[in-house]
Amino acid sequence: MRETVPRPTVVVAADYFQSYAVVGLLAVVGVLFVAVAFGAGRLLRPVVPTPEKLLTYECGVDPVGEGWAHTQVRYYVYAFLYVIFAVDSIFLFPWATVFAAPGYGAATLVEMFVFLGFLAVGLLYAYKKGVLAWT
């Protein structure tokens, strides 16, 4: 049997920080790339301010009336429900990798049905409260 000689701590720390140096260098290069692109755009673009360009508008329509508008809360509820179910569906991907591993099939299958049950109860609750009714 061959004996392994432990590596000195200084060498291990140098290897450790070297991999972070690569990540840091890539981050600096990325920031510089964006800064150069914005700087070049600022230097190369024409600057001709006119009253029409300084006017506030949305989607090409001139503003008319006051800036206050009534917004329906139900749109936020739909967005909130979408975010909840989208984030919860992210848990399906790690589950699928664990489910494929040998020895975890039955336990992970039961856990996923419990998880999907909680999602179904939440969706049923939202339906019963009338949140999903489009009026």
Side-chain angles (χ1 to χ4, degrees):
M1 217 181 243
R2 197 173 134 191
E3 289 186 36
T4 58
V5 179
R7 293 173 57 183
T9 307
V10 175
V11 174
V12 173
D15 290 343
Y16 179 76
F17 288 118
Q18 184 180 6
S19 51
Y20 276 110
V22 171
V23 172
L25 180 65
L26 284 174
V28 168
V29 168
V31 168
L32 283 176
F33 181 75
V34 171
V36 167
F38 275 116
R42 186 175 185 121
L43 290 174
L44 297 175
R45 72 176 179 222
V47 180
V48 183
T50 61
E52 289 82 18
K53 287 183 180 179
L54 299 175
L55 182 67
T56 303
Y57 70 96
E58 184 167 338
C59 299
V61 178
D62 292 335
V64 177
E66 295 183 17
W68 294 98
H70 182 71
T71 305
Q72 295 289 333
V73 175
R74 67 175 167 237
Y75 299 122
Y76 294 111
V77 174
Y78 289 125
F80 187 64
L81 284 172
Y82 170 76
V83 168
I84 289 172
F85 285 104
V87 169
D88 287 341
S89 67
I90 291 172
F91 291 113
L92 294 173
F93 294 106
W95 171 80
T97 58
V98 171
F99 183 70
Y104 291 103
T108 54
L109 187 64
V110 170
E111 289 173 0
M112 186 47 64
F113 277 116
V114 168
F115 176 72
L116 291 175
F118 281 125
L119 288 180
V121 167
L123 189 61
L124 183 65
Y125 177 77
Y127 178 75
K128 290 287 187 183
K129 284 290 192 177
V131 172
L132 302 177
W134 189 270
T135 58

